[in-house]
Amino acid sequence: MKKPDNYLEYNRDAWNHQVRNGNRWTIPFSDDVIEAAKNGHINLVLTPQRVVPAHWYAPKGSKVLGLASGGGQQGPVLAAAGYDVTIFDNSSGQLQKDEQMSDKFQLGIKTVEGDMADLSAFDDETFDMIFNPCSTGFVPDVVKVYAEAARVLKKGGIFMTGFIKPVYYLFDIKLVEKGIFTLKYESPYSDLDSLDELELNFFLEQNEPVVFGHSMEAHINGQLKAGLQLTELMEDTWGENNPADRYFPSFIATRAVKSI
């Protein structure tokens, strides 16, 4: 297959395909989860498994942007818990899940489709909190994402994100599934540039989104230079019997506060 000319359009179609195939991140939460949220029980993740601590959140009633957070999961929970929620996502299929949940539970969720590195749909200092579950790996320039997030966040606002550590992308993909970790790729990583033709075609033929593995410098300095001061972080693993979990936690979730 031909390498995609436009990663954004390709990933939009790929995530719509994931919705049709029932990817775990595209399945809306159950009624019980929404009812629990109405009673103040928020049980969300930025990475595969570890629950976001309660003290990471802004006060109830705050304006929240779910950044690349479609799928009928985080948005409905936060809205049910009393937040004013807008969900921004590249996939119309993902946004439809939030719209369906919003209608079902009368949550008043607003949805906007677009590129997470371009939040021009929003004015400066619009939101009190941004919730960005592990999704920055689907854009080539994570620094732009952090800069835009900081722009639309009010001073003192909270930014939460999750991402895969760059070390995970260094290993031979085919061998990792067998529990063998052999260095093969350089950092920063890109499906479009790091994989050979056969490897890339394997993913494209399955309509898998293309992935970009950013450096720790891009993740941490990208936030700091945007005025997002880190307050806390936590590591996480894949779960689901991923061989990497035996050796190291592959994920980091961070919480930051806009200082400027």
Side-chain angles (χ1 to χ4, degrees), residues 7 67 116-117 132 135-149 159 161-163 188 212-223 226 228:
Y7 82 90
L67 182 58
M116 74 174 87
N132 174 227
S135 58
T136 53
F138 300 115
V139 294
D141 190 346
V142 71
V143 174
K144 286 185 178 180
V145 176
Y146 295 145
E148 277 291 270
F159 177 73
T161 187
F163 56 87
F212 306 87
H214 311 293
S215 68
M216 286 300 295
E217 180 177 336
H219 279 299
I220 302 304
N221 278 354
Q223 293 188 58
L228 299 169

Side-chain angles (χ1 to χ4, degrees), residues 34 38 75-77 79-80 83 101-109:
I34 303 304
K38 291 180 179 179
V77 165
Y83 292 93
M101 292 290 282
S102 182
D103 291 343
K104 180 178 181 179
F105 292 98
Q106 298 182 332
L107 299 173
I109 296 172

Side-chain angles (χ1 to χ4, degrees), residues 72-197:
Q73 298 185 358
Q74 299 90 13
V77 165
L78 292 169
Y83 292 93
D84 178 358
V85 176
T86 299
I87 297 297
F88 187 92
D89 202 281
N90 186 37
S91 162
S92 59
Q94 284 285 75
L95 292 174
Q96 287 173 5
K97 299 291 186 177
D98 290 280
E99 292 163 0
Q100 291 166 5
M101 292 290 282
S102 182
D103 291 343
K104 180 178 181 179
F105 292 98
Q106 298 182 332
L107 299 173
I109 296 172
K110 297 169 282 293
T111 60
V112 181
E113 183 177 329
D115 174 9
M116 74 174 87
D118 177 9
L119 301 182
S120 56
F122 308 114
D123 293 333
D124 294 357
E125 300 187 355
T126 297
F127 299 99
D128 301 295
M129 184 174 83
I130 297 176
F131 193 97
N132 174 227
C134 202
S135 58
T136 53
F138 300 115
V139 294
D141 190 346
V142 71
V143 174
K144 286 185 178 180
V145 176
Y146 295 145
E148 277 291 270
R151 181 184 64 79
V152 302
L153 196 62
K154 297 176 184 177
K155 185 174 181 179
I158 296 167
F159 177 73
M160 290 186 273
T161 187
F163 56 87
I164 300 176
K165 293 180 180 178
V167 65
Y168 185 80
Y169 294 104
L170 302 182
F171 304 107
D172 187 310
I173 294 173
K174 296 178 181 178
L175 295 179
V176 165
E177 294 181 355
K178 301 177 182 179
I180 302 171
F181 292 84
T182 301
L183 292 172
K184 184 174 183 178
Y185 308 109
E186 297 179 355
S187 183
Y189 169 89
S190 163
D191 278 351
L192 298 179
D193 298 320
S194 302
L195 299 179
D196 62 33
E197 184 177 357

